[in-house]
Amino acid sequence: MSASPDTGRPAAAVTAVTAKDLPRLQRRTSGVLIASQILGGLGVPISIALAPVLATEISGTEAMSGLASTASVIGTALLSLPLAALMTARGRRPGLVLAYAIGAIGACLVVLAATVKNFPLLLLGMAAFGAASSANLQSRFAAADLAAPDRRARAISLVVWASTIGAVLGPNLSAPASRSFAGTSIPQTAGPFVWAAAVFVLTGALIGVLLRPDPLLTARALAGPGEQTRAGRSLRAGFAAVKASPRARLALLTVAVSHTTMVSIMVMTPMDLGHHGAGLELIGLVISGHIAGMFAFSPLMGWLADRLGRLSVIGLAAGLLSVATLLAGTAGPNHGQTALGLFLLGLGWSAGMVSGSALLTDSVPQPARAAVQGLSDLTMNTAAGVGGAAAGLVMAQAGYGWLNAIGAGLLLPMAALALFTSRRHPVPPADAPAKSAPAPTAQTPAAPAKAAPAEGVTED
């Protein structure tokens, strides 16, 4: 089995996988990615929860408190394409390891900034810290590299589900992480960032040691010599692949709109609840329910996307997000209605993220996938950063109800494009996720299960 001549590595160094080995390797890869997602998921929220507080302490004004979190989002977006370029050239493992290493360096810079009271250094550190979030996002695509077409959404959803543990436990570890540095020269508010740096180093080491063989390089080797050209793997090829595929454009829009709608409404909900007399405990309960909706039900969304098709679950995402904006935007002092709206907001995000990510992977040639996936994360995080910043202005000028109305308006082009795509570019029966060929066996060629290519692209 030959590997890419561009890698400079012998075929055996990339993969010695046969068709018989593929299911076992996919399970192993998923297990490593789930474990890394749990660890990495601990590091991100444990520190993001205190970033606004730390920014206020260093800058001396609450007006600057939001810039720390914004710097992290910008860092996640800006680093998405360089990391994707590295993965495109060298595989998932080096890209993920480097991302967590940059995140650890960023956490150390934040600690240094807190110690010397340097606000620009804090923003630089938070931008680098965002690389860890980029690694968490890219892990969902790594899970799909070796998955059969009819199981890709489920492979992605399991990695998304693993984020639940970190999202729930991370903020609860902030207090002990802060207390652990009492009496030292490190400010207690920066303590969680020390813990985060250690977590990121551990996560990178886990991936570096155990994510072998590299899933992306293995998928390329299994795809055959025709998939190995460097030009076909470039970022330019990724842009061209999206431009050429209506389904890829829909997938990109779905991920970006779902994430932007969710972030814009979620970040302003605590403020609206506070305006209507809710205490911190109730606010925490509502946000916890929202997080549960985001992550806990992602395996269900993956199963639906594989069984019913990606476009059906994209439609479900649009419906759930629309109902969520209606409930939250008209709740007023009814905290139970707000809680239900936020739960559905998380559930709609999960449906859009899982189905959109799977459709994106389905819709572009195998060599260009890593580049396209990096473009997806860049688009998603940039849009969410703009949406989150604009949400505060809308809240201040028009109120929470109008913010939800604008969020609902963002869903209209996504729903319209999904309907247009389903009618103008229907999935051939052989290419429907639930109907794809069975996984390869020792009696079949040593390649992942193939479906008839849609939109004139090559499947791995």
Side-chain angles (χ1 to χ4, degrees):
M1 185 177 300
S2 63
S4 167
D6 295 333
T7 64
R9 303 169 63 191
V14 176
T15 180
V17 177
T18 66
K20 184 178 179 180
D21 298 327
L22 195 56
R24 175 189 56 81
L25 177 58
Q26 171 62 15
R27 290 192 296 270
R28 171 185 167 85
T29 299
S30 294
V32 173
L33 291 171
I34 288 171
S36 70
Q37 195 77 346
I38 292 172
L39 281 174
L42 283 173
V44 173
I46 195 177
S47 302
I48 292 296
L50 287 180
V53 178
L54 191 56
T56 301
E57 289 182 358
I58 295 175
S59 66
T61 173
E62 289 187 358
M64 309 294 282
S65 62
L67 291 182
S69 297
T70 301
S72 179
V73 172
I74 292 173
T76 301
L78 292 179
L79 289 167
S80 294
L81 280 185
L83 291 172
L86 176 60
M87 292 182 197
T88 297
R90 299 295 178 185
R92 299 288 186 189
R93 187 173 63 252
L96 293 174
V97 170
L98 178 61
Y100 282 116
I102 295 173
I105 293 172
C108 293
L109 289 176
V110 170
V111 175
L112 178 61
T115 304
V116 302
K117 304 295 183 183
N118 188 309
F119 190 70
L121 184 60
L122 171 68
L123 298 183
L124 177 63
M126 288 302 301
F129 187 86
S133 296
S134 185
N136 284 358
L137 291 170
Q138 284 290 320
S139 292
R140 76 189 191 277
F141 290 121
D145 284 334
L146 296 175
D150 62 344
R151 298 191 65 87
R152 277 187 189 137
R154 275 171 280 188
I156 291 170
S157 69
L158 286 176
V159 174
V160 174
W161 171 85
S163 304
T164 309
I165 299 174
V168 172
L169 292 181
N172 293 312
L173 294 176
S174 296
S178 297
R179 289 195 298 268
S180 65
F181 289 91
T184 70
S185 59
I186 296 176
Q188 290 192 48
T189 315
F193 288 88
V194 179
W195 284 33
V199 166
F200 293 158
V201 169
L202 180 60
T203 306
L206 174 72
I207 291 174
V209 172
L210 297 182
L211 195 63
R212 297 173 184 271
D214 189 283
L216 181 59
L217 297 183
T218 302
R220 282 193 189 140
L222 290 170
E227 304 292 347
Q228 307 298 345
T229 63
R230 178 175 296 171
R233 302 196 311 258
S234 66
L235 291 177
R236 178 177 295 180
F239 282 100
V242 172
K243 183 179 179 180
S245 172
R247 291 183 174 277
R249 295 197 296 272
L250 171 61
L252 206 64
L253 182 66
T254 296
V255 171
V257 168
S258 298
H259 194 58
T260 302
T261 302
M262 184 276 293
V263 169
S264 301
I265 295 172
M266 182 268 293
V267 296
M268 291 295 112
T269 298
M271 183 180 298
D272 181 69
L273 287 170
H275 290 166
H276 291 97
L280 291 178
E281 291 184 0
L282 179 57
I283 292 174
L285 186 62
V286 171
I287 297 301
S288 294
H290 169 69
I291 292 173
M294 288 177 64
F295 299 118
F297 296 90
S298 58
L300 172 62
M301 297 305 173
W303 181 84
L304 290 173
D306 283 334
R307 295 292 296 176
L308 303 180
R310 320 303 193 213
L311 296 184
S312 297
V313 181
I314 288 175
L316 176 62
L320 288 170
L321 291 169
S322 297
V323 174
T325 59
L326 175 64
L327 289 173
T330 60
N334 188 336
H335 300 321
Q337 183 174 327
T338 301
L340 178 59
L342 264 288
F343 172 76
L344 293 178
L345 186 72
L347 203 61
W349 175 90
S350 180
M353 181 65 64
V354 170
S355 60
S357 298
L359 181 62
L360 188 69
T361 303
D362 294 340
S363 303
V364 297
Q366 196 281 334
R369 282 179 185 166
V372 170
Q373 290 157 355
L375 174 63
S376 170
D377 285 348
L378 170 65
T379 304
M380 178 182 74
N381 285 290
T382 301
V386 173
L393 297 176
V394 174
M395 185 78 172
Q397 298 297 322
Y400 187 67
W402 276 104
L403 175 63
N404 279 270
I406 293 173
L410 293 177
L411 301 171
L412 293 177
M414 182 182 93
L417 184 58
L419 182 61
F420 174 81
T421 302
S422 66
R423 292 186 174 183
R424 292 291 299 273
H425 306 278
V427 181
D431 193 49
K435 302 293 185 181
S436 47
T441 65
Q443 287 74 38
T444 60
K450 288 189 176 183
E455 309 299 343
V457 301
T458 304
E459 291 284 359
D460 61 346

